[in-house]
Every structure is written in C-alpha cells, then in structure tokens.
C-alpha cells in the first residue's frame, strides 16, 4: 500500500523542497564568517603583536572578545562594546610573553543572530 500517490506525492515533494530552501537560505544569511585575523590563526609570531585584528565577511557588532593563555588565564583587554556594525575590528593587546594564546570572539549580525568562534596563535620571540 502506498501512502502518497500521484499529485499528493508531487505536492509533498514541493513542500519539502520549499522548507529545505528556506532553512538553507536562513542559515546562509544568519552566519557571517571570520575571513582573516592578525596575528593569523594557527600562526607562530616572533614579535609582540600590538593589536588583534578580526576581519569579517560582512558588517557585524563585536559583542565580546577574550584572550586567554595556555593555562586558560584571561589576559585583560581594554574592550568595550561599540554598537557600530563593522567588518574589521582592532583590539590593543598588553605585553605578552612567549606561549600559546586563544582568541575567543562573539558577534551579532544585523539580523540579530549571534556567532561565536575562536582561533589560536603562538608567540615565540627571538632572543
């Protein structure tokens, strides 16, 4: 026994394709990707970075950014939320020692969706 026949099967298929298209479109517009960073993600730098730079594919509001060392200790940043939507953000960093650091960020898109992510870099200053 078939549950759906003829026109009912075509209608069901069209409804399912429509729902999938809406979900895919919503997901694509809701998440703005991080396109580049400085220091670059997974890089080893030999000089003290003066700032962290995050570049996004579209304008977002940077809601939070944290810098933590290898022991998960948070490094204080002088970051305050600026309610402007921008594609690029520069955050000054204090003096850092050799080691691995993780940048943890949270943004909000113009549509209200929050995005989070993280990346790491290593400082290995020349002596």
């Amino acid at each position: 026994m078939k549950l759906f026949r003829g026109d009912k099967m075509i209608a069901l298929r069209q409804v399912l394709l429509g729902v999938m298209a809406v979900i895919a479109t919503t997901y694509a517009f809701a998440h703005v990707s991080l396109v580049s960073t400085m220091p670059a993600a997974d890089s080893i730098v030999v000089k003290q970075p003066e700032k962290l730079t995050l570049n996004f594919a579209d304008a977002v509001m940077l809601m939070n950014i944290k810098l933590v060392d290898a022991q998960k200790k948070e490094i204080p940043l002088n970051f305050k939320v600026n309610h402007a939507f921008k594609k690029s953000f520069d955050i000054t960093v204090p003096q850092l020692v050799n080691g691995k650091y993780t940048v943890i960020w949270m943004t909000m898109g113009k549509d209200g969706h929050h995005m989070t992510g993280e990346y790491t870099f290593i400082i290995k200053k020349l002596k």
Side-chain angles (χ1 to χ4, degrees):
M1 177 177 159
K2 287 189 173 183
L3 187 59
F4 296 102
R5 294 188 182 166
D7 291 340
K8 288 183 181 179
M9 186 61 170
I10 291 170
L12 178 62
R13 196 175 302 150
Q14 288 175 337
V15 168
L16 289 175
L17 287 172
V19 169
M20 288 171 50
V22 168
I23 291 171
T25 302
T26 300
Y27 183 78
F29 287 114
H31 294 86
V32 176
S33 62
L34 179 66
V35 293
S36 67
T37 63
M38 187 58 75
D42 302 319
S43 67
I44 298 174
V45 296
V46 295
K47 183 180 171 192
Q48 160 75 35
E50 295 178 16
K51 61 186 175 181
L52 301 174
T53 301
L54 285 75
N55 298 303
F56 292 89
D58 200 1
V60 294
M61 183 187 307
L62 186 60
M63 302 297 292
N64 196 3
I65 186 164
K66 293 181 182 180
L67 180 65
V68 296
D69 65 16
Q71 291 74 39
K72 307 292 184 208
K73 180 183 173 199
E74 189 171 339
I75 309 301
L77 299 175
N78 190 16
F79 172 76
K80 291 185 173 76
V81 176
N82 176 340
H83 297 282
F85 285 87
K86 303 187 310 185
K87 286 186 174 185
S88 184
F89 299 89
D90 292 322
I91 295 87
T92 304
V93 296
Q95 189 67 33
L96 302 172
V97 298
N98 286 350
K100 183 176 183 177
Y101 293 89
T102 302
V103 178
I104 305 164
W105 54 268
M106 180 174 73
T107 62
M108 182 176 72
K110 290 181 179 179
D111 59 2
H113 281 88
H114 288 253
M115 286 119 343
T116 60
E118 64 181 58
Y119 68 93
T120 61
F121 65 92
I122 295 172
I123 296 177
K124 190 174 183 180
K125 296 177 190 171
L126 298 175
K127 296 183 180 192

